[in-house]
Amino acid sequence: MTDRYQDLAHNPIGKFVVKNLGLPNPPYLERYEGGPLVKGTVLTGAATQTPVAKAVTAALKAARIGATGVPSGTKKYKGLVFDASSIDSSEGLVSLQEFFTPVLRQLEACGRVVVLGALPDEAVSEAAALAQRALEGFTRSLAKEVGNGSSVNLVYVAKGAESSIGSTLEFLLSPKSAYVSGQVIRIGLTDLKDADKAGDPAKPLAGKVALVTGASRGLGAAEIRALHRDGATVVGLDIPPLEADLKALTDELGGGAISLDITAADAPEEIAAYFKNNHGGVDIIVHNAGITRDKRLRNMKPENFALVVDISVGAPQRITDELLDQGLIREGGRIVGISSIAGIAGNNGQTNYGTAKAGVIGWIQSLSKRVAKDGITANAIAPGFIETEMVKTIPLGIREAGRRMNSMSQGGLPIDVAEAIAWYANPGSSAVSGNVVRVCGQSLLGA
Ligand code: NAP
């Protein structure tokens, strides 16, 4: 879907009107098109030297991202990374301002800011817990200020998980995270086995088998393409009426197709049998299928409440349990649930959808603890307003509000959700589990 307002705001007359009336000014966002992950230099800083700061240096070097720890008054930076994990008092928080204020004007368009902290739950004193929790307010506020298509995110690193920050830094510093801002990511929450050995950076998912449900269009189609781009053998699933569309896509990607309704009683056994017979198991499962049946609760038909909940979370839970029970999700496995900002903030006319999507979060967070012992992660994505068929059904006024009421003043693209899933799926993301990351351009809903 093209954003006509965005194009208008970039022509000479539109620019004048937007500026003088103080209207939203959606920048064109950079997206990853191959080549180096970061086109520019990253400036790093730290309150004091810590294992996290050392891990940042090592991770940037491993990813061949140009970095410096010495600020210059004139140079432009594509990224700013600050290790705040050692801050253990309210007084110490001033080091955030001391690092960022002199260099913020040097951040390029679509720049990236990453703040690293220590898990507040692991803090050894009240003062340290205060300081680490304060980082959330800092990053979320700065994310609303930076503008120009730039993003600001916070990564809490558990003690001992420092060497696992690489894949997350790569994602957050690159254009792959174009529509992810104001987010808090936690690394090392669960006691997972060591990260898989990183393979070919261009094909990190080589040798993996991935299932995406609801794959024939919208987010699912972008997700399956991104997993294929990263080297996975892909299997798409969709309802029988969409079989031709699904097969056209999976044939193009050299993958497999499963035509069924995930709510059918025998769907879990059929899916398990497919992977057992064709691939001996499965590595990545993206529970993407979802529907909306919006009505205020007083007018809601019982079947539409139950169906929305069952497609978004009931069926994914049954399918995952069957695959786990049969031992078909291999070590290093990845389970991804698709929630929504409606599951975080709630939405008028969406009691069914909000229930379903909040349920996804509860399920994934609980599941992440259960599967950790098998070296499997479980994470959720909560998309905001993403330009797909689903949002075309929203009335125009509400649709336009949804599109503009975020820090990027625009809707996201399916690829933005797909890139976040590819980051979860990356072998380097073994210590990323139990997270719920919003891909919403820092939507005001659920903020
Ligand atoms: P979409 O374009 O409607 O695609 C969803 C796909 O899932 C469709 O092909 C759909 O088929 C399929 N599906 C529905 N019920 C199914 C079932 N019982 N069994 C198998 N497949 C089924 O939706 P989308 O916008 O790409 O959304 C993808 C996911 O992201 C959903 O979970 C959605 O709730 C979530 N999400 C989207 C947005 C957004 O802004 N687009 C925001 C937040 C969350 P039919 O619909 O034809 O039955």
Side-chain angles (χ1 to χ4, degrees), residues 213-220 237-239 242 260-263 287-291 311-312 338-341 353 357 383-391:
T213 69
S216 68
R217 63 170 197 227
L219 303 187
L237 180 154
D238 219 310
I239 50 169
L242 293 173
L260 55 72
D261 179 335
I262 55 169
T263 63
H287 291 291
N288 167 80
I291 59 164
I311 291 177
S312 269
I338 303 294
S339 177
S340 163
I341 53 170
Y353 191 71
K357 295 303 189 179
F385 185 97
I386 309 290
E387 306 281 1
T388 65
E389 292 297 315
M390 191 178 254
V391 300

Side-chain angles (χ1 to χ4, degrees), residues 54-393:
K54 278 191 201 147
V56 168
T57 308
L60 295 179
K61 196 171 167 208
R64 298 180 186 202
I65 296 172
T68 176
V70 185
S72 117
T74 51
K75 220 175 166 309
K76 288 278 184 192
Y77 298 111
K78 197 68 187 174
L80 304 171
V81 178
F82 187 71
D83 168 21
S85 64
S86 66
I87 302 178
D88 59 2
S89 68
S90 57
E91 294 82 7
L93 289 165
V94 74
S95 66
L96 292 163
Q97 195 260 326
E98 285 168 355
F99 174 77
F100 283 110
T101 300
V103 291
L104 272 176
R105 284 199 180 82
Q106 291 160 251
L107 188 65
E108 290 181 50
C110 299
R112 297 283 180 265
V113 175
V114 179
V115 176
L116 294 131
L119 281 172
D121 292 350
E122 291 185 349
V124 292
S125 68
E126 265 176 38
L130 168 168
Q132 291 302 314
R133 182 62 177 75
L135 301 179
E136 280 198 32
F138 176 81
T139 46
R140 289 200 163 122
S141 298
L142 184 57
K144 289 184 175 171
E145 279 184 19
V146 278
N148 220 0
S150 294
S151 66
V152 184
N153 292 290
L154 171 63
V155 181
Y156 282 127
V157 187
K159 280 194 188 73
E162 294 84 0
S163 62
S164 303
I165 62 174
S167 68
T168 301
L169 267 188
E170 288 171 27
F171 172 65
L172 292 178
L173 287 172
S174 75
K176 293 182 177 184
S177 57
Y179 203 58
V180 178
S181 195
Q183 297 308 293
V184 180
I185 293 160
R186 292 171 175 81
I187 297 186
L189 276 181
T190 47
D191 187 19
L192 281 151
K193 294 185 181 170
D194 284 350
D196 281 5
K197 296 232 176 339
D200 175 1
K203 298 273 176 211
L205 302 180
K208 307 279 183 188
V209 176
L211 166 69
V212 178
T213 69
S216 68
R217 63 170 197 227
L219 303 187
E223 290 157 12
I224 204 167
R225 282 185 186 282
L227 296 173
H228 171 263
R229 174 201 68 188
D230 284 358
T233 298
V234 289
V235 178
L237 180 154
D238 219 310
I239 50 169
L242 293 173
E243 184 170 5
D245 292 352
L246 177 68
K247 268 199 79 45
L249 175 62
T250 53
D251 284 354
E252 180 197 326
L253 304 178
I258 306 175
S259 255
L260 55 72
D261 179 335
I262 55 169
T263 63
D266 58 354
E269 289 83 12
E270 274 206 39
I271 294 169
Y274 179 93
F275 284 100
K276 193 174 182 180
N277 298 336
N278 291 287
H279 302 283
V282 58
D283 303 283
I284 300 158
I285 301 144
V286 184
H287 291 291
N288 167 80
I291 59 164
T292 50
R293 294 288 182 271
D294 298 356
K295 273 273 184 277
R296 292 210 173 133
L297 189 58
R298 58 177 169 252
N299 301 322
M300 179 83 64
K301 287 186 181 151
E303 61 271 29
N304 283 342
F305 194 95
L307 185 63
V308 168
V309 173
D310 202 37
I311 291 177
S312 269
V313 72
Q317 190 194 10
R318 293 193 295 276
I319 292 163
T320 303
D321 282 349
E322 183 68 30
L323 291 169
L324 285 169
D325 288 350
Q326 293 198 30
L328 290 170
I329 306 181
R330 289 187 272 254
E331 189 178 343
R334 303 283 189 263
I335 301 163
V336 181
I338 303 294
S339 177
S340 163
I341 53 170
I344 296 170
N347 223 356
N348 187 350
Q350 290 198 318
T351 49
N352 50 357
Y353 191 71
T355 302
K357 295 303 189 179
V360 169
I361 295 174
W363 170 55
I364 286 288
Q365 288 185 329
S366 180
L367 179 67
S368 68
K369 295 176 195 143
R370 168 155 70 105
V371 295
K373 65 174 183 347
D374 300 317
I376 297 169
T377 70
N379 291 285
I381 298 287
F385 185 97
I386 309 290
E387 306 281 1
T388 65
E389 292 297 315
M390 191 178 254
V391 300
K392 280 188 188 162
T393 60

